[in-house]
Amino acid sequence: MTLELPTDAPRHCGDCQIRHRAVCSRCNVDELMQLDQIKYYRSFEAGQTVLWSGDQMDFVGSVVTGIATLTQTMEDGRTQMVGLLLPSDFVGRPGRETAPYDVVATTDIVMCCFRKKPFEAMMADTPHIAQRLLQMTLDELDAAREWMLVLGRKTAREKIASLLSIIARRDATLRLASLEGQIVFDLPLTREAMADYLGLTLETVSRQISALKRDGIILLEGKRHVTIPDMERLMNEAGDDADGGMVS
Amino acid sequence: MTLELPTDAPRHCGDCQIRHRAVCSRCNVDELMQLDQIKYYRSFEAGQTVLWSGDQMDFVGSVVTGIATLTQTMEDGRTQMVGLLLPSDFVGRPGRETAPYDVVATTDIVMCCFRKKPFEAMMADTPHIAQRLLQMTLDELDAAREWMLVLGRKTAREKIASLLSIIARRDATLRLASLEGQIVFDLPLTREAMADYLGLTLETVSRQISALKRDGIILLEGKRHVTIPDMERLMNEAGDDADGGMVS
DNA sequence: TGGTTCTTTTGATCTGGGTCAAAGCCCGGT
DNA sequence: ACCGGGCTTTGACCCAGATCAAAAGAACCA
């Protein structure tokens, strides 16, 4: 399961093609890599579980290619996705021994891992990396809180619209084109994964996507290929009218 | 609005009576306080808004006494609580200029604040504080993710039971007694606030509390004073059977 | 090329929780 | 003691989304 990255795989830093969202700006991960022999790559197939809830978590790492999800599951099988990992996103919980949720590969993925002990020690030595990690974690916390509003208060249609605009906005690596406001991308998730993300059933997801298509908010080719002709209109459907928020 | 803390108020650190959950173990906030004239206290009345979404956020701080909530609101008035701040919890978003949500005092509160700029600069100088802050943020992230499972997948009854056990478990400062497994506390939230927490309506909250009372899961005196005769049973109702999680 | 399995769509029906409405309850003020 | 305004409870009704069921695509393999 631990293996060397094929030489033609995208490099993580420096002259890499991967967008780095957080840890790796200009480029802290490079520093990590200089330090060590503690870095290694792991790859997983689509559907494979990287980490079970409760597992020993002896590494931290970031996603190089592909998409993974964090999910929590109840004994009766109800599951809720609690995080979505795109390339450059971070996995791991410094300061906790076991994983609090499952990490599952949604597509084939490659992760760049670091053994945990050295990582944490090093964090003390290199405060700017700790700061950057803090930054990233705060971003994730903000995202989680937005998500909570979606889960707690939005209708099914608004939830779908929210998810689509999140993917369209955030996931630049998946975006294929963006001509005169049109946004085109392939959905990285099955209907079931979308349902797990949004706290819905897959049937409801399917119905609402059909409805958005019928109403011309989105265009679909096949099941996954999405075109958004008018981002404004989609965001309207999502219920978050672009409103900076004034002091009243 | 900025004022000196009355001299008989609980001290923040050292010989203080306040439980410190994160930043302040042995006791980093003391170091902050040594540095400066940048510390000051603010107090707010119950119901008062500390910070509006979109406001300039020129300070960070922790709650000394009382309870505050973080809430997000949609234009049509739907609101979702996204965080609950108990004494020692942290407010503020290093690295972001404006607040992403409202901070509202639920009870009268006193906050210990630090002007933001010096705080951030100092964080670079004192990496162990940055680490601790990271720790705390990661804890909050975990809590947010648990909360997402509650919001997305639990029934109204399970949601209420979850909230009650969270309060019972987490909030030691509110706990009045814990005799032979019995837990007694006063609810720090109105029915409406509970509804905002759980993504329900206040009517449903009321109904479910009545139902739990009828079924003997909880005892109520007045509207706020709760006794939990059997914590096991409550956690059962919450749907999270204490299950460490084994590798399968 | 046909079978097998997984994903997605669509339909029919049911139900948990929302909505609307009306009382109680409690506390504080006069 | 009375009144007024927040909370809270309870009831009646309704609907968005869950559940159950079936069939249509798509992908994969033999």
Side-chain angles (χ1 to χ4, degrees):
Chain A
M1 200 172 287
T2 297
L3 49 84
E4 288 310 304
L5 194 67
T7 46
D8 60 320
R11 297 268 326 286
H12 203 71
C13 268
D15 45 11
C16 74
Q17 301 82 10
I18 301 292
R19 174 186 59 107
H20 290 289
R21 202 166 57 96
V23 159
C24 185
S25 88
R26 243 180 83 255
C27 176
N28 292 327
V29 172
D30 257 348
E31 291 185 39
L32 293 183
M33 291 169 81
Q34 282 159 21
L35 292 181
D36 73 340
Q37 43 291 76
I38 59 177
K39 170 185 62 68
Y40 58 99
Y41 289 97
R42 296 174 74 179
S43 71
F44 299 88
E45 295 173 10
Q48 197 179 343
T49 297
V50 175
L51 212 50
W52 293 98
S53 164
D55 270 11
Q56 275 293 316
M57 201 168 40
D58 56 351
F59 68 97
V60 293
S62 67
V63 176
V64 179
T65 60
I67 291 165
T69 61
L70 313 182
T71 60
Q72 287 192 302
T73 305
M74 298 171 67
E75 313 73 52
D76 61 7
R78 283 177 280 176
T79 73
Q80 174 65 52
M81 194 187 302
V82 298
L84 188 57
L85 298 173
L86 301 177
S88 88
D89 281 345
F90 205 75
V91 199
R93 228 345 282 264
R96 187 186 288 284
E97 290 306 301
T98 57
Y101 29 66
D102 299 337
V103 181
V104 182
T106 292
T107 62
D108 291 353
I109 62 175
V110 174
M111 286 179 48
C112 173
C113 303
F114 299 86
R115 299 212 178 281
K116 203 174 173 188
K117 281 288 158 45
F119 181 87
E120 281 180 333
M122 184 211 53
M123 207 168 64
D125 304 334
T126 53
H128 59 292
I129 292 181
Q131 277 205 76
R132 195 152 281 288
L133 197 51
L134 174 59
Q135 199 62 47
M136 197 176 62
T137 307
L138 285 163
D139 286 345
E140 268 186 87
L141 186 55
D142 282 351
R145 284 173 166 165
E146 264 189 64
W147 196 339
M148 283 170 48
L149 176 63
V150 172
L151 286 172
R153 292 302 182 193
K154 291 195 177 179
T155 64
R157 170 181 264 243
E158 289 171 331
K159 285 179 174 180
I160 298 291
S162 296
L163 177 55
L164 290 175
S165 50
I166 285 169
I167 293 175
R169 205 168 344 104
R170 169 178 166 177
D171 190 356
T173 59
L174 296 177
R175 193 176 303 168
L176 303 180
S178 178
L179 296 169
E180 43 192 292
Q182 277 214 353
I183 295 176
V184 179
F185 58 90
D186 283 316
L187 275 175
L189 302 171
T190 65
R191 299 293 124 107
E192 188 182 22
M194 293 173 73
D196 284 345
Y197 189 103
L198 297 170
L200 297 170
T201 60
L202 80 178
E203 294 96 325
T204 299
V205 170
S206 178
R207 271 185 252 276
Q208 295 301 333
I209 289 183
S210 298
L212 288 175
K213 179 180 162 191
R214 180 169 4 87
D215 299 345
I217 310 291
I218 61 172
L219 309 177
L220 267 190
E221 285 171 76
K223 282 130 200 329
R224 296 296 192 86
H225 192 76
V226 179
T227 302
I228 298 171
D230 182 353
M231 196 60 191
E232 289 289 322
R233 215 142 77 87
L234 179 65
M235 289 185 50
N236 229 42
E237 291 292 337
D240 26 60
D241 298 303
D243 178 8
M246 303 298 300
V247 182
S248 64
Chain B
M1 200 171 285
T2 299
L3 49 85
E4 288 310 304
L5 195 66
T7 47
D8 60 318
R11 297 269 326 287
H12 204 73
C13 269
D15 45 11
C16 74
Q17 300 82 8
I18 302 292
R19 174 187 58 108
H20 291 289
R21 202 168 56 98
V23 158
C24 184
S25 89
R26 239 180 86 257
C27 175
N28 292 328
V29 172
D30 257 347
E31 292 185 39
L32 293 184
M33 291 168 81
Q34 281 158 23
L35 291 182
D36 73 339
Q37 43 292 76
I38 59 177
K39 170 185 63 66
Y40 58 100
Y41 289 96
R42 297 173 75 180
S43 72
F44 300 88
E45 296 174 9
Q48 197 178 345
T49 297
V50 176
L51 213 49
W52 293 97
S53 165
D55 270 11
Q56 275 294 316
M57 203 168 38
D58 55 351
F59 67 97
V60 293
S62 68
V63 176
V64 178
T65 61
I67 291 165
T69 60
L70 313 182
T71 59
Q72 288 192 300
T73 305
M74 298 171 67
E75 315 73 50
D76 62 7
R78 282 179 280 176
T79 74
Q80 174 65 52
M81 195 187 301
V82 297
L84 188 57
L85 298 173
L86 301 178
S88 89
D89 280 345
F90 206 76
V91 198
R93 230 343 285 265
R96 188 186 286 283
E97 291 304 301
T98 59
Y101 30 66
D102 299 337
V103 181
V104 182
T106 292
T107 63
D108 290 353
I109 62 174
V110 174
M111 287 179 49
C112 173
C113 303
F114 299 86
R115 300 214 177 279
K116 205 174 173 189
K117 282 289 159 43
F119 180 88
E120 282 181 332
M122 185 211 53
M123 206 168 63
D125 304 334
T126 54
H128 59 291
I129 292 182
Q131 276 206 78
R132 195 152 278 288
L133 196 51
L134 173 59
Q135 200 61 46
M136 196 177 60
T137 307
L138 285 163
D139 287 344
E140 269 185 86
L141 187 56
D142 282 350
R145 283 171 167 166
E146 263 189 65
W147 197 340
M148 281 169 49
L149 176 63
V150 172
L151 286 172
R153 292 301 181 194
K154 291 197 176 176
T155 65
R157 170 181 262 243
E158 288 170 333
K159 284 179 174 181
I160 298 291
S162 297
L163 176 55
L164 290 175
S165 50
I166 286 170
I167 293 174
R169 205 166 346 103
R170 169 179 165 176
D171 190 355
T173 60
L174 296 178
R175 194 177 305 167
L176 304 180
S178 177
L179 296 171
E180 44 193 290
Q182 277 214 354
I183 295 177
V184 180
F185 59 91
D186 284 316
L187 275 176
L189 302 172
T190 64
R191 300 291 124 110
E192 189 182 23
M194 295 174 72
D196 284 345
Y197 190 103
L198 298 169
L200 298 170
T201 59
L202 81 180
E203 294 96 324
T204 299
V205 170
S206 178
R207 271 185 252 274
Q208 295 301 333
I209 288 182
S210 299
L212 288 175
K213 179 180 163 190
R214 179 170 5 88
D215 299 346
I217 309 292
I218 62 172
L219 308 177
L220 267 190
E221 286 170 73
K223 282 134 199 326
R224 297 294 194 87
H225 192 76
V226 179
T227 303
I228 298 171
D230 183 351
M231 194 62 192
E232 288 288 324
R233 218 143 75 87
L234 180 66
M235 289 186 51
N236 230 40
E237 292 291 338
D240 27 58
D241 299 302
D243 176 8
M246 301 299 300
V247 183
S248 64

